Amino acid sequence: MADNFETEKTFSRRGFLKMSGVATGSLVAGTYLGSLLDLGTETEENTDTETASEESNQNSGEEAAVQEDYTRAYKFFTKADDFKTIEAATERIFPEDDLGPGAIALGVGWFIDHELAGGYGVNAREYMKGPFKEGTDFQGPQYPLLRRDLYMEAIRVMNEEAQENHEKLFHNLEPEQQDEILTMLESDELELRGAKASDFFEELRLATLSGAYADPLYRGNKGMQGWEMKKFPGAHMSYINEVEQEGPVELETMPLSSHSDSH
C-alpha cells in the first residue's frame, strides 16, 4: 500500500493558494462596557433594555455563525465516532499539506454521509441479485452486501483493530497507526463479514476522491478548493466566448448552484 498511498499523496497535492475564512465576532467593547457603567445619564430601565438588546444581537450573531454551514447534519451516521472514523480514514488517503487542504477540510466525510443516505448506500443502480460468484477484476465485487452495510462493517473492524492494539478508536490514533490499519484493509489482512477488506478500501478511496472533486452541491469540495487545486473552472454551461481565444484562459470557478437563478 505504501506505493499506492504515495501515488495518492502526489495526486492530491495541487499548487494553489489556500483559501481562508475569518470568523469574527460582532461585539463592540466600548458599547458593551458602556452598558455596564452607571454614568448617571440613563435610567435603570433604559440600561437594562439596551443591554438586553445588545445581548440579543450578540446571540443572534453567534447563532448565525453556528448555522453558517447548515448542510452539515448527519443523514446516515447515527454515532459521531463512526463518522469521525470515516473522516480520519479519508484524511489519510487525501491528506492536507502545504499545497492544499485535505479530505476533512474539504468536507469529504459529509459527502460520504449524504451519499450513503441515498441511492449510493443501497446500490440503487446496480444489479444485486444472484448468483453471487467470484468475479474477475473487471467485474468488481460480486456479493449481496449493500454499500452502507459494507461501510459499517469496515468501521467496526477498524475500531476493533485500533482498540486491540492501541486501546483507542481509529480516529484517535496517530496518522502512522491509522496507515497501518488502512494498509491491512488494502492487503486483505483484516477480515470483513460478507466482503473483502480490499474491496472496501478501494470503495473508500474512490469515494474520497469523488468527495474532494464533486460539485459543492453534494457537500464535498468545500469552497471549491478541490477545483482550485486542479485549476478546474467548474460548471460553466458554455465556452463559446473562450474557445477561439489564444493562449491560456482563466475563468472564475463556478458551482452548479450559480445557475439556479437562470431556471
Side-chain angles (χ1 to χ4, degrees):
M1 176 176 169
D3 291 338
N4 286 350
F5 262 128
E6 193 59 34
T7 300
E8 286 305 321
K9 288 180 180 179
T10 301
F11 178 65
S12 67
R13 295 177 180 180
R14 308 295 180 186
F16 80 115
L17 294 177
K18 279 190 177 181
M19 301 173 66
S20 62
V22 180
T24 59
S26 60
L27 178 64
V28 180
T31 304
Y32 180 70
L33 291 176
S35 70
L36 300 179
L37 300 177
D38 182 7
L39 300 180
T41 59
E42 297 178 331
T43 65
E44 183 177 352
E45 181 179 356
N46 288 339
T47 300
D48 292 341
T49 300
E50 290 185 7
T51 301
S53 176
E54 288 168 3
E55 288 178 351
S56 177
N57 290 337
Q58 179 182 352
N59 291 336
S60 296
E62 291 175 352
E63 183 178 357
V66 171
Q67 295 181 354
E68 181 181 358
D69 198 349
Y70 58 88
T71 62
R72 292 198 168 191
Y74 297 136
K75 284 194 172 183
F76 171 75
F77 291 108
T78 59
K79 296 180 180 179
D81 284 330
D82 292 342
F83 175 77
K84 290 178 180 179
T85 294
I86 291 299
E87 262 202 329
T90 61
E91 182 70 16
R92 296 312 303 147
I93 295 173
F94 199 110
E96 178 180 1
D97 58 24
D98 58 343
L99 297 178
I104 291 179
L106 288 171
V108 170
W110 295 105
F111 168 84
I112 292 176
D113 170 75
H114 288 216
E115 289 294 293
L116 287 173
Y120 171 80
V122 294
N123 304 60
R125 298 187 178 184
E126 300 172 29
Y127 183 82
M128 295 299 293
K129 296 183 179 180
F132 301 102
K133 299 181 179 180
E134 184 70 23
T136 68
D137 293 339
F138 299 101
Q139 292 175 313
Q142 302 289 308
Y143 40 72
L145 190 64
L146 296 179
R147 198 170 281 110
R148 63 186 183 187
D149 298 326
L150 174 63
Y151 270 82
M152 295 308 299
E153 172 64 8
I155 289 171
R156 179 189 69 81
V157 171
M158 292 163 68
N159 280 323
E160 284 186 355
E161 184 68 20
Q163 289 179 315
E164 181 178 345
N165 292 291
H166 306 288
E167 299 183 347
K168 295 180 180 179
L169 292 177
F170 180 87
H171 66 85
N172 290 324
L173 298 180
E174 296 297 323
E176 294 76 13
Q177 296 170 332
Q178 294 173 345
D179 285 352
E180 291 176 2
I181 294 178
L182 291 174
T183 299
M184 295 174 72
L185 283 172
E186 187 189 28
S187 58
D188 285 321
E189 294 178 47
L190 295 178
E191 185 174 342
L192 273 61
R193 294 175 299 194
K196 293 171 60 177
S198 58
D199 286 338
F200 168 73
F201 178 83
E202 180 61 15
E203 189 71 47
L204 181 62
R205 187 185 73 84
L206 293 175
T208 298
L209 294 176
S210 296
Y213 296 124
D215 190 278
L217 178 68
Y218 301 102
R219 308 301 180 254
N221 188 17
K222 184 176 175 64
M224 299 182 288
Q225 294 178 88
W227 288 350
E228 290 288 341
M229 285 190 283
K230 295 175 69 67
K231 300 302 179 186
F232 177 64
H236 287 262
M237 296 295 99
S238 171
Y239 298 96
I240 191 171
N241 295 323
E242 294 82 21
V243 68
E244 294 185 359
Q245 293 185 26
E246 296 183 2
V249 177
E250 293 188 9
L251 297 174
E252 178 183 358
T253 307
M254 182 177 296
L256 282 171
S257 59
S258 64
H259 302 289
S260 59
D261 294 335
S262 61
H263 295 291

